[in-house]
Amino acid sequence: MSALSGEEEAARLLVVWCPDWPVTAASVAAGIPVHHPAAVFSANRVVACSATARSNGVRREMRRREAQSCCPDLAVLGVDPARDARLFEPVAAAVEELVVGVEVVRPGVVAAPASGAIGYFGGEHDLIERLVDHVSGETGLECQVGIADGLFTAVVAARRGVVVEPGTAARFLGPLPITELVSAMPTEDNDELADLLRRLGLRTLGQFAELSERVVSSRFGLAGMAAHRLARGLSERPIDRRKPPEELTVVETFDPPLERIDAAAFVAKILAEKLNAELCGRDLACTRLGIYAMTETGEELARTWRCAQPVSESGIADRVRWQFESWLRAAPDDGPAGRPNSGVVKLRLQPEELVHASRLQLGLWRSGGGDEIADERAGRALVRVQEMLGQTAVCTPVLAGGRGPGERVRLVPWGDPRDELDEHPWPGRLPAPSPATVFAEQTDVLVTDERGGPITLTERGQLTAAPYQVELTDGPRRVIAWAGPWPVDERWWEPLAERVRARVQVLVSPGDALLLQFRAHSRPSWIVEGEYA
């Protein structure tokens, strides 16, 4: 009986992981010593940092100024996926010299079937030792190796430099933090899911794995189901033994031969469009992409990219462009990863693994053809709606100035300037976090003290007593905790237009958080203004 209780076991894989690869690649490109503290920034926030930088207090998501205050010698580097992929090719080539079937998961991580290599080198630990020594000797870079059932578990094992015995993936993953979903498989879906699971109180992969598939499917959708399989030690999706049909392969020949990077980028986009059109016509998406090239002198170049999620048209184009840059920018004497002796005359893109296109959930604006074209198509559609229903039929929200959460959102008709209003101090503004729901229709409620008396506002903007109970439409609720008040006295210079209000945050049984507002009008009253998630 399988250790996975009758389910198909994930394939046994070997993963080679280069720690902090974006920082390592950026440092190599900039000529910075590997042990010098360095960090890669995007939008002035740390997206990756070296071990030396971490020892000085630098962490992911830190602002640039804060990171430099922790480590004054910190080297500031920029994000460049093409650079990361190009400089990783020698590592993949070095692994390929010892192991057959190497696939690039992302720059910094390669995977390969483990069984054949283990048998050839006489054992798992002997294989790992040979790989580490060989990669270090060929590239001068550090790496760690892990072996386990399934890609996700193997990546987690590589990050720890361990071998997970067959059938024990779920037991190995169980006590690990839920953030491993992001660390091992950094996708937007996993990032959002891990954050949500932490807020729901699920701290480990084992706790998430204990949930039933029915619950996960209904609450978290396809992304949650894929992550749930990973947490249980299974592959992201059941293994599909069918071979993709040959007619999906896209082939292009070049005369004169392709030798320039800019030409390769143009070709990558065209071929990605062709392949994506073929896949969309069959309601399919690609999860493993083979890139094969032949040079004028007969050299054959090949690389397979394994994708954590079904890859979009832009993702195909990126991987083809990165791979071409790796081949065309390499030095002639770089061994297996060296530059080819002549230009490329034939390029073939071959889907190695396919899933149904429902796995690829694109955003509203991503309809194929690149972001700019998708934006243009969406804009034309919205203008057409306005022509039929009026200018205000299509509006977009803009964050504006104001004190209450409902006052801070301004709807702007599509096509009008959307510049956000300048921020002002706004005394009396409600502090973060803002409520998740702001009610358009406000309901009057009664807020009472412990003796049952109504609570109002004093002349100094304070509550007359501590809130004890809130009378809602579905019955009374006991106040567990509260914060505030945040009083506001608006237009005090016009007696007829003066508005005195105060907001209070309350936590009522059985665990609902509400935003209440007191209005000191001719008939003082409380309303429920919003609800927190």
Side-chain angles (χ1 to χ4, degrees):
M1 176 71 68
S2 167
L4 296 175
S5 303
E7 298 197 56
E8 184 177 7
E9 293 186 11
R12 193 147 182 84
L13 294 175
L14 173 150
V15 165
V16 178
W17 173 65
C18 293
D20 309 317
W21 180 253
V23 182
T24 301
S27 298
V28 170
I32 298 172
V34 176
H35 298 293
H36 186 84
V40 172
F41 289 80
S42 176
N44 268 335
R45 288 190 178 272
V46 177
V47 296
C49 57
S50 64
T52 310
R54 283 194 296 273
S55 66
N56 284 277
V58 180
R59 295 291 183 270
R60 290 183 71 248
E61 297 299 325
M62 264 190 180
R63 292 189 177 276
R64 175 174 173 174
R65 182 174 299 178
E66 184 182 0
Q68 289 178 314
S69 67
C70 293
C71 183
D73 295 334
L74 185 70
V76 176
L77 305 167
V79 172
D80 187 351
R83 172 201 63 205
D84 298 345
R86 181 179 73 251
L87 295 178
F88 189 64
E89 179 63 19
V91 177
V95 175
E96 199 168 34
E97 289 182 333
L98 298 184
V99 182
V100 177
V102 167
E103 299 173 349
V104 179
V105 179
R106 61 179 182 271
V109 179
V110 292
S115 56
I118 291 173
Y120 182 82
F121 286 99
E124 295 171 335
H125 295 285
D126 291 337
L127 170 61
I128 291 174
E129 186 176 349
R130 282 288 302 274
L131 266 176
V132 171
D133 291 343
H134 185 69
V135 171
S136 177
E138 291 293 321
T139 66
L141 301 172
E142 297 180 357
C143 71
Q144 293 180 192
V145 181
I147 300 176
D149 298 334
L151 178 61
F152 173 72
T153 310
V155 173
V156 176
R159 290 169 58 85
R160 288 160 173 77
V162 299
V163 174
V164 181
E165 296 301 323
T168 64
R171 191 188 317 157
F172 166 71
L173 296 172
L176 301 182
I178 199 71
T179 51
E180 285 294 334
L181 285 174
V182 183
S183 301
M185 293 292 176
T187 65
E188 186 176 344
D189 286 341
N190 285 346
D191 194 7
E192 294 177 358
L193 179 63
D195 181 63
L196 176 58
L197 294 175
R198 283 198 306 270
R199 288 187 280 118
L200 293 174
L202 298 174
R203 305 294 181 181
T204 66
L205 292 173
Q207 291 174 335
F208 182 42
E210 289 175 0
L211 300 179
S212 68
E213 289 187 352
R214 182 185 297 273
V215 170
V216 173
S217 176
S218 62
R219 179 63 179 84
F220 306 110
L222 286 175
M225 284 295 296
H228 189 243
R229 288 182 60 86
L230 298 181
R232 292 157 56 201
L234 304 174
S235 57
E236 186 176 2
R237 60 189 67 86
I239 297 175
D240 189 353
R241 302 296 184 186
R242 294 175 298 177
K243 185 177 180 180
E246 289 293 334
E247 57 264 29
L248 290 178
T249 300
V250 175
V251 181
E252 186 73 28
T253 57
F254 309 104
D255 187 15
L258 191 64
E259 294 182 336
R260 299 200 335 261
I261 300 297
D262 57 344
F266 180 74
V267 167
K269 184 177 180 182
I270 294 177
L271 292 184
E273 289 178 358
K274 289 184 179 179
L275 179 57
N276 188 67
E278 291 286 343
L279 295 176
C280 289
R282 298 171 180 250
D283 193 29
L284 296 172
C286 179
T287 55
R288 286 173 57 213
L289 175 67
I291 304 173
Y292 303 92
M294 178 176 290
T295 69
E296 196 173 13
T297 56
E299 287 181 276
E300 294 185 357
L301 309 174
R303 179 64 67 221
T304 300
W305 285 77
R306 177 190 286 262
C307 311
Q309 288 185 326
V311 64
S312 63
E313 178 182 320
S314 61
I316 295 172
D318 284 342
R319 284 158 177 79
V320 176
R321 176 170 54 85
W322 295 344
Q323 193 58 55
F324 256 93
E325 287 197 30
S326 301
W327 288 333
L328 298 181
R329 286 193 177 182
D333 57 349
D334 277 351
R339 180 184 174 90
N341 295 324
S342 57
V344 173
V345 296
K346 184 177 181 181
L347 177 65
R348 175 165 53 97
L349 301 187
Q350 181 173 323
E352 305 285 357
E353 183 179 77
L354 299 172
V355 296
H356 288 293
S358 58
R359 295 275 185 179
L360 182 58
Q361 183 63 46
L362 299 179
L364 173 63
W365 309 108
R366 295 181 180 272
S367 57
D371 292 346
E372 294 181 2
I373 297 177
D375 287 346
E376 184 180 347
R377 290 176 179 171
R380 288 199 299 265
L382 298 180
V383 170
R384 178 60 178 158
V385 172
Q386 286 179 319
E387 291 174 353
M388 294 186 294
L389 303 180
Q391 184 73 7
T392 60
V394 181
C395 296
T396 54
V398 175
L399 188 63
R403 295 183 173 87
E407 302 167 359
R408 301 200 62 196
V409 178
R410 180 166 58 95
L411 295 179
V412 178
W414 179 259
D416 289 359
R418 299 183 66 255
D419 295 335
E420 297 184 0
L421 295 183
D422 292 336
E423 287 291 331
H424 297 290
W426 293 103
R429 170 181 286 180
L430 185 72
S434 297
T437 303
V438 178
F439 300 112
E441 297 182 2
Q442 299 169 339
T443 305
D444 288 345
V445 295
L446 178 63
V447 182
T448 60
D449 57 21
E450 192 170 1
R451 296 182 178 181
I455 295 176
T456 58
L457 204 65
T458 68
E459 293 181 355
R460 293 182 176 272
Q462 299 298 315
L463 300 184
T464 56
Y468 180 79
Q469 185 172 278
V470 180
E471 294 279 352
L472 300 174
T473 54
D474 58 351
R477 300 283 193 91
R478 172 78 167 81
V479 177
I480 302 172
W482 64 282
W486 290 275
V488 178
D489 188 357
E490 296 177 317
R491 305 192 71 82
W492 49 268
W493 59 90
E494 297 182 21
L496 297 180
E498 182 180 10
R499 295 192 305 173
V500 179
R501 296 177 294 169
R503 292 182 172 86
V504 178
Q505 297 168 333
V506 296
L507 180 64
V508 297
S509 59
D512 294 329
L514 306 174
L515 176 64
L516 305 181
Q517 181 188 142
F518 178 78
R519 300 180 295 184
H521 295 198
S522 58
R523 186 178 65 86
S525 62
W526 289 88
I527 61 170
V528 179
E529 188 174 6
E531 182 178 11
Y532 294 87

